[in-house]
Amino acid sequence: MKRMIPLTLIVASAALLGCQPQANAMPNESVAPATISVNGSAAVEAVPDRVQVRLNVERTGKDIPALKEEVDAITAELLSYLASEGIAKEDIQSYAVRINPKYRYDDGEQILLGYQVSRRVVVDFDEADQHSAFLEFALDNGVQRVEEPQYSISNADGLYEQALAQAVANARSKADKLAAAAGVTITGVRQVNENSHQAPVARYRMMAANEMGSADVSLPGQQSVNAQVHVVFEISAKD
């Protein structure tokens, strides 16, 4: 004989099963706070106080030993002048002599014209106004090619840090205005990214030897040390 199970018992069991918590239920995930993202920038002005001068002592001809002797003599004059002006040896780079043949071509035939003997000299001046007198001395003593001087700021790192702080303040000012317009309140900083790097260098065009005039024309001007940041601020609704 088959055993009969009352219908009421089956319904009651189903009801109890429905009341059991689900084993795979996911816990409530925290919701990330709302944010405002802004860019900030700032610039600190300064006058460059350092300058690097690069020049080449060159002579061209066919007698290599004689050409080298002349290049060496001019270089020695330059080094002697720099020493008399108190320029430290570690601020002077005098490179080895280079010898390059010079050719011309006639109907595809290579004809040797002579040689160019040269030496490169690089000088770093701690005071920018020192370099003008040195350039005049160099041009008066046989130097024929001077490259573009490169100005820099000695305390550039400190100025850049100032600019960074001001850039963050600029970003906060922008965020405050956006938050006020949106009717929310800034509650914290989620992220700060530096979008710039410190490289404040100024340059001016160096005239050729026959264009060189008074030393007073070599003015570096005022230069900017710039910084940019990207800041993400957390916000919440106003109470």
Side-chain angles (χ1 to χ4, degrees), residues 107-118:
D107 297 328
E109 181 184 0
Q110 179 176 286
I111 300 174
L112 178 65
L113 297 178
Y115 301 90
Q116 181 185 71
V117 178
S118 63

Side-chain angles (χ1 to χ4, degrees), residues 195-212:
N195 291 342
S196 58
H197 63 281
Q198 180 270 311
V201 176
R203 294 184 174 89
Y204 70 95
R205 185 181 68 87
M206 171 55 64
M207 295 181 292
N210 59 354
E211 296 176 315
M212 181 68 69

